[in-house]
Amino acid sequence: MEYSIEIKNLYKNFKSYQKSPGFKGSLKSLFKRQNLIKSAVKNFNLSVETGEIIGLLGPNGAGKTTLMKILTGIVVPSTGELQVLGYNPTLRENEYKRKVALVMGQKTQLWWDIPALDSFHLLQKIYQIEDKQFKDTLNELTELLDVSHVIKVPVRKLSLGERMKLELMAGLLHKPRILFLDEPTIGLDLLAQKNIRHFLLDYHKKEKTTIVLTSHYMADVEALCQRIVLINNGEKAFDGPVSTFHQLLGKNKNIIFSFSSPITNSDELKILNQFNPSWDEEYTQVEISIPEEEFINVCKNVLNNFPVSNISSEKTPIEKVMQSFLARNHS
Amino acid sequence: MKFYPRLSQANEIIKMTWHEFFAYRVDFFLKSIIPIIVFFLVKYFLWLNIYTGNGNELIKGMSFQEMMQYHLWVLATSLVILGTNSFNMAQDIRFGKITPFLLYPMPYAFHQMAVFIGQTIFHFFVIFISFSFLIGFNLIDLPVDTITLILSIPYLLLCATMWFIIQFIFGAAAFWMEETWVLRIMFIIVAEFLSGKIFPLTFFPQFFQNLIYHLPFPHFSYFPVMVLMQKISFTDLSNYLVSLSWQLIVLILIASKIWRKGINNYTAAGM
């Protein structure tokens, strides 16, 4: 089995300081500051196979972006072993930089005031891409992303969705072997998100590029990733296939009942209380989590005793699994 | 490192810098003409009043006309030497904007230098066109010796490199300091006085002149202007070149050490 990324016992500590509020606090901090050491990544181990797509998940401040920064060589780890495509990213070798790309949803690498095509020509020179390869890749990506009409427009005049497509193009022009994606669909509307996901899947199918993704949109992770790595407080909390992640909370099924009138009777409410119900404000809709073996009986019971107007059942959404898993580990 | 790819990279960055200049038409014209208008409004009337108040006598051996010629050359040399792109470097570090550059197989300092050269060439043309126009229509009196002008170009480029390196060092301070603008403004104020940009260095007492002649500051205005006004001999110029080269080597070594240390402190904020 060939691995593109191998991390062993990785740590990253950041130093910051604490300041008391108010004028007095500001004055005091001029002379004495209380230093804080925050461990953004703790004892982290990870192996990523070549051609795999993995999703780094976790709440804000969990350490996933720090991990991405370390893998791309932007930030230097405190201790630990790290190999990406056989290189140590910390050394920031040009050969390594030619083989990876980082696309950030919240940072642009395109020159703001001029058309993206000019930035692409600069990237051609930076990555020393042959003219023919550059033209072929440019044409191919322009077609796949459907951006021929915006490529010559100054970047500042483009919509977020168009800009994001061009950011992806900029990252892929040199055909990286590993693509790091940090929140690639952030702020995009549903259609634009879907387009980006489709493009990434098609591109991966064709090029077999290893992709490491962080996203707050679970739809990204579910659509793209074969494997999830959950990070919490800098530590790895879960590492496995998406299907296994869904079963972390047991074999429960989620079901939503809608009612034609509000349910206010305490006896009626009691029936549902054992299934961790989540009611809407009007008490006309409830979501419950039912163990698989009791599913039929509970449904029958509810249908017989409540004014049910609609039922929908789905597997537990990935964000819910994540929230519950983190809450359970926290307690 | 292959030389040719670096050359083509620099060429592309310079072209992009020019594209950016032309992207905003109003900004482009303001950048081109504002320094000249400010020169006439502020420096011309200021010195006119000083000389009128002094009964139009020579001040430190300079007539009003010579003083104006001195300041016209100051304007020209400062537009060529004193580029401003590395002013933004501290902000870029603080807000994580240098992140994309760290991922490129090209040093960040090389990119900054290429932008600086792009700005310098652009400013050179602005000065060349506007001065040709002003001289052609007899609006200013500025004797230009073409051979001196050509011979002074390598010296002016070294002076510009020195300014760039110093600004780079101030920018890199942002790896450790949250705000570096106070530091930079203080340096610029000191540099304005000690470079001869406000008034010729001969206005200072002799002992002070002897001291600052050994610092980098006079290379930002006074020495280049003296060279262009043909008030410095080639022997003096070669002495200045030697001292400038030594100072430049030391500053490049300092800048490179600071960058290497700083980049290991970089946290790529906001990503």
Side-chain angles (χ1 to χ4, degrees):
Chain A
M1 203 172 285
E2 194 192 338
Y3 290 107
S4 283
I5 300 173
E6 285 187 285
I7 302 172
K8 281 180 196 160
N9 309 320
L10 194 79
Y11 284 84
K12 176 65 192 174
N13 301 325
F14 286 113
K15 199 172 138 187
S16 63
Y17 66 89
Q18 212 170 25
K19 182 183 92 64
S20 309
F23 179 71
K24 203 175 155 190
S26 302
L27 205 64
K28 201 175 151 193
S29 78
L30 270 179
F31 303 98
K32 198 179 175 190
R33 283 177 177 178
Q34 197 185 343
N35 285 328
L36 292 175
I37 302 287
K38 194 200 170 214
S39 295
V41 177
K42 283 183 258 180
N43 195 22
F44 206 89
N45 295 284
L46 180 72
S47 298
V48 180
E49 277 177 48
T50 301
E52 204 178 357
I53 307 184
I54 72 156
L56 299 179
L57 280 183
N60 285 338
K64 43 191 199 303
T65 303
T66 303
L67 192 63
M68 200 84 119
K69 289 175 192 173
I70 293 172
L71 289 170
T72 47
I74 297 166
V75 164
V76 179
S78 301
T79 56
E81 287 175 42
L82 181 63
Q83 287 268 309
V84 183
L85 298 170
Y87 293 89
N88 178 358
T90 312
L91 299 176
R92 300 185 178 116
E93 291 166 88
N94 285 344
E95 272 310 304
Y96 171 66
K97 290 176 181 178
R98 282 194 190 97
K99 289 176 181 157
V100 298
L102 169 67
V103 176
M104 299 168 276
Q106 301 190 77
K107 282 258 183 304
T108 180
Q109 66 162 319
L110 301 169
W111 288 44
W112 192 246
D113 298 313
I114 51 182
L117 191 58
D118 287 322
S119 293
F120 296 159
H121 281 293
L122 175 64
L123 290 171
Q124 183 199 357
K125 303 292 177 200
I126 289 175
Y127 287 101
Q128 295 165 36
I129 308 166
E130 296 290 332
D131 281 347
K132 192 182 175 309
Q133 191 201 326
F134 174 74
K135 272 181 198 160
D136 291 348
T137 315
L138 189 73
N139 291 338
E140 186 193 338
L141 291 172
T142 307
E143 200 177 308
L144 269 173
L145 285 159
D146 189 24
V147 287
S148 54
H149 58 297
V150 293
I151 208 164
K152 291 177 183 168
V153 178
V155 174
R156 67 173 192 275
K157 304 261 184 198
L158 302 177
S159 71
L160 190 60
E162 289 166 338
R163 189 173 66 71
M164 203 53 228
K165 284 181 178 179
L166 296 173
E167 291 287 345
L168 273 172
M169 269 183 87
L172 296 173
L173 279 173
H174 62 288
K175 298 214 176 235
R177 286 173 55 192
I178 302 185
L179 176 63
F180 295 97
L181 295 166
D182 188 43
E183 310 275 359
T185 55
I186 198 159
L188 301 186
D189 62 45
L190 290 174
L191 187 67
Q193 285 180 29
K194 209 174 157 187
N195 287 339
I196 298 278
R197 278 179 216 130
H198 275 169
F199 165 75
L200 287 169
L201 279 175
D202 287 347
Y203 185 82
H204 176 259
K205 210 172 172 181
K206 200 165 159 251
E207 301 289 336
K208 303 278 178 281
T209 312
T210 308
I211 298 177
V212 180
L213 164 91
T214 71
S215 180
H216 275 109
Y217 297 124
M218 299 306 161
D220 284 351
V221 177
E222 289 194 290
L224 297 170
C225 302
Q226 297 137 358
R227 183 179 153 201
I228 287 177
V229 174
L230 182 66
I231 308 173
N232 190 31
N233 287 327
E235 290 174 298
K236 192 159 77 175
F238 172 84
D239 182 355
V242 179
S243 52
T244 319
F245 191 67
H246 276 295
Q247 290 164 12
L248 271 179
L249 298 179
K251 287 183 176 175
N252 281 16
K253 283 192 171 178
N254 262 35
I255 186 158
I256 299 169
F257 290 104
S258 299
F259 306 111
S260 52
S261 56
I263 310 298
T264 47
N265 184 311
S266 58
D267 289 336
E268 287 176 331
L269 289 171
K270 259 185 204 165
I271 299 173
L272 298 170
N273 276 353
Q274 55 184 308
F275 302 113
N276 193 20
S278 170
W279 288 92
D280 69 351
E281 279 182 19
E282 286 90 28
Y283 274 70
T284 54
Q285 190 174 293
V286 67
E287 185 180 348
I288 53 175
S289 176
I290 312 168
E292 207 172 42
E293 57 279 10
E294 292 179 45
F295 187 71
I296 301 281
N297 284 338
V298 174
C299 285
K300 273 184 187 169
N301 196 1
V302 174
L303 284 167
N304 290 334
N305 293 296
F306 294 84
V308 177
S309 61
N310 195 17
I311 309 174
S312 63
S313 172
E314 55 185 29
K315 59 184 179 183
T316 315
I318 205 165
E319 49 263 76
K320 203 154 219 176
V321 178
M322 190 177 93
Q323 279 167 11
S324 310
F325 182 76
L326 292 175
R328 199 168 69 182
N329 280 11
H330 188 67
S331 59
Chain B
M1 186 187 76
K2 288 175 192 168
F3 183 67
Y4 177 70
R6 284 277 179 263
L7 203 64
S8 67
Q9 286 166 359
N11 179 43
E12 204 61 38
I13 295 167
I14 289 169
K15 278 199 292 190
M16 299 270 282
T17 309
W18 292 344
H19 286 192
E20 269 207 323
F21 272 129
F22 301 131
Y24 296 99
R25 283 176 293 182
V26 176
D27 193 49
F28 168 72
F29 286 111
L30 287 179
K31 266 182 190 159
S32 313
I33 59 168
I34 283 287
I36 295 162
I37 293 170
V38 169
F39 168 78
F40 276 112
L41 287 180
V42 180
K43 286 193 170 172
Y44 179 83
F45 289 111
L46 176 73
W47 286 104
L48 184 68
N49 278 312
I50 292 172
Y51 272 90
T52 313
N54 202 34
N56 280 326
E57 293 208 359
L58 297 182
I59 299 176
K60 290 279 175 185
M62 290 175 89
S63 65
F64 174 68
Q65 197 185 22
E66 280 177 315
M67 186 59 82
M68 283 301 95
Q69 283 170 4
Y70 176 85
H71 280 292
L72 276 167
W73 280 123
V74 165
L75 174 68
T77 51
S78 45
L79 272 175
V80 174
I81 296 170
L82 311 179
T84 54
N85 71 310
S86 48
F87 286 174
N88 303 328
M89 188 178 143
Q91 287 283 80
D92 289 352
I93 292 170
R94 197 175 162 214
F95 296 112
K97 287 184 189 168
I98 62 163
T99 300
F101 295 98
L102 299 181
L103 296 164
Y104 296 150
M106 176 183 79
Y108 175 72
F110 178 82
H111 171 267
Q112 285 292 94
M113 188 71 194
V115 173
F116 185 83
I117 293 169
Q119 285 185 353
T120 303
I121 297 171
F122 175 79
H123 285 145
F124 177 80
F125 280 108
V126 168
I127 282 293
F128 183 76
I129 292 164
S130 49
F131 273 37
S132 302
F133 174 81
L134 292 170
I135 294 169
F137 285 89
N138 278 329
L139 292 172
I140 57 170
D141 172 27
L142 192 69
V144 182
D145 179 65
T146 318
I147 295 172
T148 311
L149 197 67
I150 293 166
L151 285 176
S152 64
I153 287 174
Y155 174 60
L156 293 179
L157 287 178
L158 275 183
C159 296
T161 310
M162 168 86 95
W163 177 257
F164 170 78
I165 301 288
I166 290 176
Q167 290 305 313
F168 188 88
I169 292 171
F170 276 102
F175 283 123
W176 295 273
M177 295 168 71
E178 283 184 33
E179 285 291 356
T180 58
W181 68 271
V182 178
L183 207 65
R184 221 173 48 232
I185 295 292
M186 277 168 62
F187 173 78
I188 288 169
I189 292 170
V190 172
E192 294 258 318
F193 276 96
L194 301 187
S195 67
K197 210 176 160 190
I198 310 282
F199 44 75
L201 295 184
T202 45
F203 280 46
F204 286 119
Q206 191 60 48
F207 80 94
F208 196 63
Q209 286 181 49
N210 293 341
L211 179 73
I212 53 177
Y213 284 177
H214 292 96
L215 298 174
F217 300 109
H219 295 291
F220 303 143
S221 259
Y222 185 69
F223 289 158
V225 170
M226 289 293 112
V227 168
L228 290 163
M229 289 178 82
Q230 295 174 280
K231 292 200 171 178
I232 278 179
S233 67
F234 273 97
T235 322
D236 285 340
L237 179 60
S238 53
N239 286 340
Y240 292 149
L241 271 173
V242 172
S243 106
L244 180 66
S245 307
W246 275 113
Q247 290 176 24
L248 204 54
I249 290 168
V250 171
L251 283 171
I252 288 173
L253 291 174
I254 292 172
S256 140
K257 192 151 180 93
I258 287 178
W259 174 261
R260 279 204 305 271
K261 279 207 157 239
I263 203 67
N264 288 342
N265 266 358
Y266 184 59
T267 57
M271 179 187 144

